[in-house]
PDB file of all heavy atoms in Angstrom:
ATOM      1  N   PRO W 509     -19.319  -9.391  -6.620  1.00 98.00           N
ATOM      2  CA  PRO W 509     -20.198  -9.334  -5.395  1.00 98.00           C
ATOM      3  C   PRO W 509     -19.586 -10.069  -4.199  1.00 98.00           C
ATOM      4  O   PRO W 509     -19.606  -9.594  -3.064  1.00 98.00           O
ATOM      5  CB  PRO W 509     -21.496  -9.977  -5.836  1.00 98.00           C
ATOM      6  CG  PRO W 509     -21.541  -9.712  -7.335  1.00 98.00           C
ATOM      7  CD  PRO W 509     -20.111  -9.807  -7.787  1.00 98.00           C
ATOM      8  N   ALA W 510     -18.952 -11.219  -4.454  1.00 98.00           N
ATOM      9  CA  ALA W 510     -18.325 -11.974  -3.347  1.00 98.00           C
ATOM     10  C   ALA W 510     -17.092 -11.213  -2.839  1.00 98.00           C
ATOM     11  O   ALA W 510     -16.934 -11.044  -1.634  1.00 98.00           O
ATOM     12  CB  ALA W 510     -17.925 -13.381  -3.815  1.00 98.00           C
ATOM     13  N   PHE W 511     -16.260 -10.759  -3.759  1.00 99.00           N
ATOM     14  CA  PHE W 511     -15.071  -9.982  -3.399  1.00 99.00           C
ATOM     15  C   PHE W 511     -15.481  -8.791  -2.520  1.00 99.00           C
ATOM     16  O   PHE W 511     -14.899  -8.478  -1.484  1.00 99.00           O
ATOM     17  CB  PHE W 511     -14.374  -9.491  -4.705  1.00 99.00           C
ATOM     18  CG  PHE W 511     -13.290  -8.498  -4.496  1.00 99.00           C
ATOM     19  CD1 PHE W 511     -11.953  -8.865  -4.302  1.00 99.00           C
ATOM     20  CD2 PHE W 511     -13.608  -7.126  -4.534  1.00 99.00           C
ATOM     21  CE1 PHE W 511     -10.962  -7.931  -4.132  1.00 99.00           C
ATOM     22  CE2 PHE W 511     -12.585  -6.146  -4.375  1.00 99.00           C
ATOM     23  CZ  PHE W 511     -11.267  -6.556  -4.165  1.00 99.00           C
ATOM     24  N   ALA W 512     -16.545  -8.084  -2.977  1.00 99.00           N
ATOM     25  CA  ALA W 512     -16.991  -6.884  -2.301  1.00 99.00           C
ATOM     26  C   ALA W 512     -17.510  -7.153  -0.911  1.00 99.00           C
ATOM     27  O   ALA W 512     -17.156  -6.425   0.054  1.00 99.00           O
ATOM     28  CB  ALA W 512     -18.059  -6.192  -3.170  1.00 99.00           C
ATOM     29  N   GLU W 513     -18.314  -8.165  -0.757  1.00 98.00           N
ATOM     30  CA  GLU W 513     -18.880  -8.437   0.596  1.00 98.00           C
ATOM     31  C   GLU W 513     -17.796  -8.836   1.552  1.00 98.00           C
ATOM     32  O   GLU W 513     -17.780  -8.374   2.694  1.00 98.00           O
ATOM     33  CB  GLU W 513     -19.967  -9.531   0.499  1.00 98.00           C
ATOM     34  CG  GLU W 513     -20.578  -9.732   1.891  1.00 98.00           C
ATOM     35  CD  GLU W 513     -21.784 -10.631   1.950  1.00 98.00           C
ATOM     36  OE1 GLU W 513     -22.463 -10.786   0.911  1.00 98.00           O
ATOM     37  OE2 GLU W 513     -22.016 -11.192   3.022  1.00 98.00           O
ATOM     38  N   ILE W 514     -16.867  -9.650   1.129  1.00 98.00           N
ATOM     39  CA  ILE W 514     -15.783 -10.076   2.020  1.00 98.00           C
ATOM     40  C   ILE W 514     -14.950  -8.850   2.426  1.00 98.00           C
ATOM     41  O   ILE W 514     -14.578  -8.702   3.573  1.00 98.00           O
ATOM     42  CB  ILE W 514     -14.902 -11.165   1.361  1.00 98.00           C
ATOM     43  CG1 ILE W 514     -15.706 -12.419   1.011  1.00 98.00           C
ATOM     44  CG2 ILE W 514     -13.697 -11.522   2.269  1.00 98.00           C
ATOM     45  CD1 ILE W 514     -15.045 -13.331   0.042  1.00 98.00           C
ATOM     46  N   THR W 515     -14.671  -7.995   1.436  1.00 99.00           N
ATOM     47  CA  THR W 515     -13.866  -6.777   1.703  1.00 99.00           C
ATOM     48  C   THR W 515     -14.541  -5.896   2.738  1.00 99.00           C
ATOM     49  O   THR W 515     -13.890  -5.466   3.703  1.00 99.00           O
ATOM     50  CB  THR W 515     -13.654  -6.014   0.359  1.00 99.00           C
ATOM     51  OG1 THR W 515     -12.938  -6.827  -0.524  1.00 99.00           O
ATOM     52  CG2 THR W 515     -12.948  -4.716   0.552  1.00 99.00           C
ATOM     53  N   MET W 516     -15.830  -5.674   2.540  1.00 98.00           N
ATOM     54  CA  MET W 516     -16.561  -4.797   3.511  1.00 98.00           C
ATOM     55  C   MET W 516     -16.606  -5.428   4.882  1.00 98.00           C
ATOM     56  O   MET W 516     -16.375  -4.777   5.884  1.00 98.00           O
ATOM     57  CB  MET W 516     -17.979  -4.525   2.996  1.00 98.00           C
ATOM     58  CG  MET W 516     -17.967  -3.666   1.740  1.00 98.00           C
ATOM     59  SD  MET W 516     -19.607  -3.156   1.191  1.00 98.00           S
ATOM     60  CE  MET W 516     -20.098  -4.499   0.153  1.00 98.00           C
ATOM     61  N   ARG W 517     -16.889  -6.724   4.927  1.00 98.00           N
ATOM     62  CA  ARG W 517     -17.006  -7.392   6.225  1.00 98.00           C
ATOM     63  C   ARG W 517     -15.636  -7.411   6.945  1.00 98.00           C
ATOM     64  O   ARG W 517     -15.577  -7.242   8.171  1.00 98.00           O
ATOM     65  CB  ARG W 517     -17.502  -8.856   6.087  1.00 98.00           C
ATOM     66  CG  ARG W 517     -18.952  -8.927   5.811  1.00 98.00           C
ATOM     67  CD  ARG W 517     -19.374 -10.381   5.684  1.00 98.00           C
ATOM     68  NE  ARG W 517     -20.776 -10.581   5.440  1.00 98.00           N
ATOM     69  CZ  ARG W 517     -21.728 -10.629   6.407  1.00 98.00           C
ATOM     70  NH1 ARG W 517     -21.374 -10.540   7.680  1.00 98.00           N
ATOM     71  NH2 ARG W 517     -22.992 -10.830   6.110  1.00 98.00           N
ATOM     72  N   ASP W 518     -14.554  -7.583   6.195  1.00 98.00           N
ATOM     73  CA  ASP W 518     -13.229  -7.603   6.837  1.00 98.00           C
ATOM     74  C   ASP W 518     -12.861  -6.235   7.336  1.00 98.00           C
ATOM     75  O   ASP W 518     -12.273  -6.113   8.456  1.00 98.00           O
ATOM     76  CB  ASP W 518     -12.146  -8.173   5.951  1.00 98.00           C
ATOM     77  CG  ASP W 518     -10.959  -8.593   6.804  1.00 98.00           C
ATOM     78  OD1 ASP W 518     -11.100  -9.539   7.558  1.00 98.00           O
ATOM     79  OD2 ASP W 518      -9.930  -7.867   6.778  1.00 98.00           O
ATOM     80  N   SER W 519     -13.187  -5.178   6.602  1.00 98.00           N
ATOM     81  CA  SER W 519     -12.904  -3.835   7.108  1.00 98.00           C
ATOM     82  C   SER W 519     -13.692  -3.603   8.398  1.00 98.00           C
ATOM     83  O   SER W 519     -13.162  -3.163   9.429  1.00 98.00           O
ATOM     84  CB  SER W 519     -13.258  -2.829   6.038  1.00 98.00           C
ATOM     85  OG  SER W 519     -13.061  -1.523   6.523  1.00 98.00           O
ATOM     86  N   ASN W 520     -14.982  -3.947   8.367  1.00 98.00           N
ATOM     87  CA  ASN W 520     -15.832  -3.774   9.548  1.00 98.00           C
ATOM     88  C   ASN W 520     -15.294  -4.566  10.737  1.00 98.00           C
ATOM     89  O   ASN W 520     -15.249  -4.105  11.888  1.00 98.00           O
ATOM     90  CB  ASN W 520     -17.264  -4.136   9.244  1.00 98.00           C
ATOM     91  CG  ASN W 520     -17.911  -3.202   8.253  1.00 98.00           C
ATOM     92  OD1 ASN W 520     -17.446  -2.090   8.030  1.00 98.00           O
ATOM     93  ND2 ASN W 520     -18.952  -3.666   7.560  1.00 98.00           N
TER      94      ASN W 520
END
Side-chain angles (χ1 to χ4, degrees):
F511 169 90
E513 182 172 336
I514 299 163
T515 297
M516 291 185 273
R517 285 182 179 274
D518 197 69
S519 176
N520 294 340

